[in-house]
Amino acid sequence: MQLTAKASLNHALLISVCTPEFKGDEAIESLAELARLVTTLGFKVVGTQSQKQSSTKRVNVLGLGKLAEIAELTGNKGIIEMSEENEVSLDDDELTTIPSENLPFACADVVVFDCDLTPSQLRNVENQLGVEVFDRTGVIIEIFSRHARTKTAKLQVEIARLNYVAPRLRETSCGDKERQMGKGAGETTLELNRRKVRDQLAELKRELVNVQDEMKGRRTQRSENFCVALVGYTNAGKSSMMRAITGSNVEGENKLFATLDTTVRALFPVTHPRILVSDTVGFIKKLPHDLVASFHSTLAEAHDASLLLYVVDASDPSFRSQLDVVHEVLAEVGVQESKKLLVLNKSDQLTIKQQNALMEEFPEAMLTSARNPTDVNKLHQYIVNIAQEEMIEEEIVIPYTAKGIVGEIRSTMSVTKEDYEFDHIKLTVRSNAIELARLKKKMLSL
């Protein structure tokens, strides 16, 4: 199951199901976010519909009246049958249709729900409306699938996609009547497809383990450096901030999940010793569990970081709830004890009054704009200062006969003082314990 934007399938109607646990501003913000997700896939959102329900777990996720209303908007291509549950729901005060904008007949050819649908719910709604129906998880997984670039990200997303697709596989029109001769002991096409998916998943998981081992080896090599990880909600400006403080060409666009792959660059201007910065995958509300599980290895960059920069879009009124999502996902993967700084990004889009109010609310945060060189320099200096706090200062005596050692020290350590004596140079250096131990060992061998 994949969403494909094309001429005959590009007008999306968004459906919000409000429950006692999910309503009000939260539901409104979530529906607006779904619109951005769907737009990222290339669809045109033609309108929205909402209904209050006691739960999203009902066999029929919408009441009969709302289904009939939506069927008009999708061209009455399906069959809506009165069921016992539908009859009951019409008299239930908890099940209330929320009026929405007037939309023309047959204006939509795809329907997207802002919640997760079970395979049976999905099948029922498609039969009733006669058009393709998707849920929020399906949309997010499709976006991840399109934006994955590296082998690791592609493996992680494909595992999540197959986990999503497996229970939604359906029998062909004749699959339940015919057996596929020569394809197993009387297995149906559906059974064969499910077995194929299971085999694919097993192979992908084995391949991912091997790739994760390689990633772990690279992280071990980087563990000697002070590492900073940018974490935050999707589209908060992490990639722009990454470019600003590392001078790199990390991809970044004003869209959701523009980049998925973890990138590691050195802080720029370059410091001695080097400070590494990694840009992690962005988060989103209702992030599918399979994606969180698949991206554990990618988020390990945040787990191993010496400093976490929580980047938020300060111009977005909902950034506080987005920040809660970031905290939840990081806690789920075991990232809790690292040093952290809240970076209130995109401050150039705020008034002075709004900026002052934010600094009063978050006195420990840093108000920045990735477009402002002064702000970037301030953040750069903050990172350097934190890194310096973790370094050890020692005095090293180097004989003049030791060729090349001084140049090596300058390229890997911070030299705070140097004295030239009769037969040696005395350097006061700051570095991490591993680099200092390596230098001392090398000095003993001279």
Side-chain angles (χ1 to χ4, degrees):
M1 179 189 297
Q2 289 190 327
L3 293 94
T4 306
K6 54 187 179 182
S8 61
L9 181 66
N10 61 355
H11 294 90
L13 180 68
L14 310 186
I15 311 296
S16 176
V17 180
C18 301
T19 66
E21 298 78 27
F22 179 73
K23 58 185 178 180
D25 291 341
E26 183 182 8
I28 293 172
E29 290 173 6
S30 183
L31 193 63
E33 187 171 78
L34 180 66
R36 295 196 295 273
L37 287 166
V38 170
T39 302
T40 298
L41 287 178
F43 291 101
K44 179 182 178 181
V45 177
V46 295
T48 63
Q49 293 279 295
S50 300
Q51 184 173 46
K52 291 181 181 178
Q53 290 277 36
S54 58
S55 169
T56 58
K57 305 301 181 184
R58 305 166 65 91
V59 174
N60 291 300
V61 69
L62 296 174
L64 183 64
K66 176 56 71 175
L67 276 171
E69 184 180 344
I70 295 173
E72 283 283 318
L73 303 179
T74 56
N76 287 327
K77 300 173 184 176
I79 300 174
I80 300 178
E81 297 179 354
M82 178 68 73
S83 68
E84 183 177 344
E85 183 178 359
N86 277 328
E87 289 176 352
V88 173
S89 71
L90 293 176
D91 298 325
D92 191 340
D93 290 338
E94 292 185 29
L95 309 177
T96 307
T97 297
I98 301 174
S100 53
E101 68 270 32
N102 293 322
L103 297 170
F105 177 79
C107 64
D109 41 32
V110 61
V111 172
V112 185
F113 279 77
D114 189 27
C115 61
D116 286 341
L117 299 180
T118 65
S120 59
Q121 286 176 325
L122 195 65
R123 186 165 54 252
N124 288 342
V125 177
E126 283 194 341
N127 291 337
Q128 291 161 334
L129 299 181
V131 296
E132 286 200 81
V133 177
F134 301 97
D135 62 8
R136 186 182 179 96
T137 291
V139 170
I140 293 174
I141 287 179
E142 177 63 19
I143 292 174
F144 269 59
S145 183
R146 292 188 187 185
H147 290 180
R149 296 289 181 269
T150 65
K151 183 177 182 180
T152 305
K154 288 178 179 178
L155 286 171
Q156 291 171 141
V157 173
E158 185 61 10
I159 288 171
R161 191 187 71 80
L162 289 177
N163 279 327
Y164 174 80
V165 167
R168 291 167 174 78
L169 290 175
R170 302 174 191 176
E171 192 64 86
T172 59
S173 58
C174 62
D176 54 351
K177 300 177 183 178
E178 297 181 4
R179 297 283 169 174
Q180 304 300 308
M181 301 302 295
K183 295 183 180 180
E187 290 179 301
T188 64
T189 304
L190 177 59
E191 289 165 346
L192 284 167
N193 288 339
R194 284 176 175 167
R195 183 154 58 87
K196 182 179 179 181
V197 168
R198 287 196 300 270
D199 292 343
Q200 283 181 294
L201 274 170
E203 179 59 32
L204 287 170
K205 288 177 180 177
R206 284 193 294 269
E207 195 171 351
L208 181 59
V209 168
N210 293 333
V211 175
Q212 287 173 337
D213 288 340
E214 294 176 11
M215 291 175 63
K216 186 176 181 180
R218 289 196 291 270
R219 286 199 305 273
T220 300
Q221 293 174 0
R222 294 196 297 266
S223 64
E224 299 178 8
N225 297 92
F226 186 90
C227 295
V228 180
L230 302 176
V231 297
Y233 210 72
T234 181
N235 208 32
K238 295 191 309 303
S239 294
S240 297
M241 188 60 71
M242 179 78 166
R243 288 198 305 273
I245 63 178
T246 65
S248 61
N249 296 317
V250 178
E251 179 182 358
E253 300 178 62
N254 185 25
K255 60 170 64 173
L256 303 185
F257 302 113
T259 123
L260 287 182
D261 306 304
T262 298
T263 333
V264 181
R265 298 286 187 272
L267 188 70
F268 183 84
V270 177
T271 59
H272 300 293
R274 289 197 313 165
I275 296 174
L276 300 182
V277 184
S278 63
D279 180 15
T280 60
V281 62
F283 304 139
I284 197 168
K285 292 174 185 174
K286 305 178 188 175
L287 188 65
H289 176 75
D290 282 333
L291 279 175
V292 176
S294 295
F295 273 79
H296 267 218
S297 58
T298 302
L299 294 173
E301 294 290 348
H303 188 280
D304 297 340
S306 310
L307 172 66
L308 295 179
L309 299 183
Y310 284 71
V311 182
V312 300
D313 178 358
S315 67
D316 188 336
S318 63
F319 82 80
R320 293 165 186 81
S321 62
Q322 295 175 358
L323 187 58
D324 289 338
V325 172
V326 176
H327 287 306
E328 290 168 9
V329 176
L330 290 177
E332 187 173 343
V333 297
V335 180
Q336 292 175 306
E337 302 302 323
S338 303
K339 288 185 180 179
K340 54 184 72 72
L341 171 71
L342 176 61
V343 179
L344 300 169
N345 194 31
K346 304 187 183 181
S347 63
D348 54 319
Q349 299 179 27
L350 301 173
T351 64
I352 297 298
K353 184 178 179 180
Q354 289 173 322
Q355 292 180 16
N356 292 336
L358 281 178
M359 290 313 300
E360 185 174 341
E361 182 180 357
F362 303 100
E364 303 298 322
M366 184 178 291
L367 199 64
T368 66
S369 168
R371 299 177 179 178
N372 187 328
T374 301
D375 289 347
V376 173
N377 290 337
K378 180 174 64 173
L379 182 57
H380 181 284
Q381 190 58 52
Y382 174 87
I383 294 171
V384 171
N385 291 344
I386 295 296
Q388 289 284 347
E389 290 176 6
E390 294 199 357
M391 291 183 189
I392 302 170
E393 186 170 279
E394 286 202 17
E395 191 174 78
I396 305 294
V397 176
I398 306 165
Y400 287 120
T401 55
K403 297 180 180 179
I405 294 294
V406 174
E408 184 179 324
I409 290 174
R410 292 188 189 281
S411 65
T412 59
M413 299 180 181
S414 174
V415 179
T416 60
K417 184 180 179 182
E418 50 189 291
D419 294 310
Y420 291 83
E421 305 292 342
F422 176 72
D423 59 351
H424 63 266
I425 304 172
K426 189 184 294 181
L427 298 181
T428 302
V429 300
R430 291 183 63 84
S431 187
N432 59 64
I434 296 176
E435 283 288 350
L436 285 170
R438 184 181 292 122
L439 177 61
K440 291 176 181 177
K441 185 177 180 180
K442 190 166 188 176
M443 294 297 297
L444 289 173
S445 65
L446 293 176

